[in-house]
Amino acid sequence: MGLPPFRQLAPEDAGAGSQNYALAQDARGVLYLGNLSGVFSFDGEWWQRLEYPSPAMVGALAADATGRVAVGGVDEIGFFEPGFAHRSRYRSLTAELPAGTPALGFVVSAQALPQRGFAFLTESAFWIWNSNALVRVAELSPEPAPRCFR
C-alpha cells in the first residue's frame, strides 16, 4: 500500500551483465543504460538491447536536447540518434579518429555540449565532436603509479 507497482528484473532476463556503469535519459524520456554487456534502453515498459559494435562494457552516456545519446565504451565512441518508430541507430565516431591514433582505451566520461556536439574523456585524451569533426583537444599525461606505503 502506498508504493508504486514495480517489476524487478534479473540481468539474465534482459541478457545483460551484472553491473551498470552509466545512465542517461533522452528528450523522449527513454532511459539508456551502460552495462557490462553493452547498451540497453527502457521506454517505461520494455527493455531493449541496442545494436552496438562492441559487446564490452559501456561506461559513459550523455543525452543532448536533440535526442542523441553519446556512448563511450572500450576503444569505442559514438552516439545513438532517434530513428523511425522509436528505433535508435548507432553512429560510430571511432572511424573518424585521425590516422595513427592509438587505441582509445576506456572512455571515462561523455558530456553533451550546448553547441550541438559531445565531449569524450578517455584514459589518454580529451576529444570533442562538434557534429562535423572529431578533434583531440588535449593529450593526457599518464599519472605515476601510486606509491605503496609501509
Side-chain angles (χ1 to χ4, degrees), residues 39-76:
V39 182
F40 295 82
S41 68
F42 181 68
D43 65 3
E45 186 153 343
W46 302 101
W47 282 99
Q48 177 183 5
R49 184 183 197 137
L50 301 178
E51 288 187 37
Y52 178 70
S54 171
M57 178 175 78
V58 171
L61 294 171
D64 70 6
T66 68
R68 296 180 304 188
V69 178
V71 180
V74 178
D75 293 328
E76 176 64 34

Side-chain angles (χ1 to χ4, degrees), residues 9-140:
L9 292 174
E12 307 83 47
D13 296 335
S18 61
Q19 294 179 338
N20 300 313
Y21 296 95
L23 180 69
Q25 186 173 23
D26 72 11
R28 300 171 298 165
V30 175
L31 292 174
Y32 291 79
L33 194 67
N35 185 268
L36 191 61
S37 298
V39 182
F40 295 82
S41 68
F42 181 68
D43 65 3
E45 186 153 343
W46 302 101
W47 282 99
Q48 177 183 5
R49 184 183 197 137
L50 301 178
E51 288 187 37
Y52 178 70
S54 171
M57 178 175 78
V58 171
L61 294 171
D64 70 6
T66 68
R68 296 180 304 188
V69 178
V71 180
V74 178
D75 293 328
E76 176 64 34
I77 57 175
F79 63 91
F80 286 100
E81 51 192 347
F84 179 72
H86 302 289
R87 293 271 187 200
S88 295
R89 293 182 311 255
Y90 184 75
R91 176 177 169 193
S92 177
L93 297 173
T94 305
E96 297 180 23
L97 292 170
T101 301
L104 295 171
F106 181 65
V107 180
V108 178
S109 179
Q111 180 68 43
L113 300 174
Q115 55 277 76
R116 214 171 129 72
F118 294 105
F120 298 93
L121 178 63
T122 71
E123 292 176 310
S124 60
F126 180 63
W127 297 87
I128 290 184
W129 180 72
N130 64 9
S131 294
N132 294 317
L134 189 61
V135 178
R136 181 174 38 215
V137 176
E139 198 73 29
L140 304 177

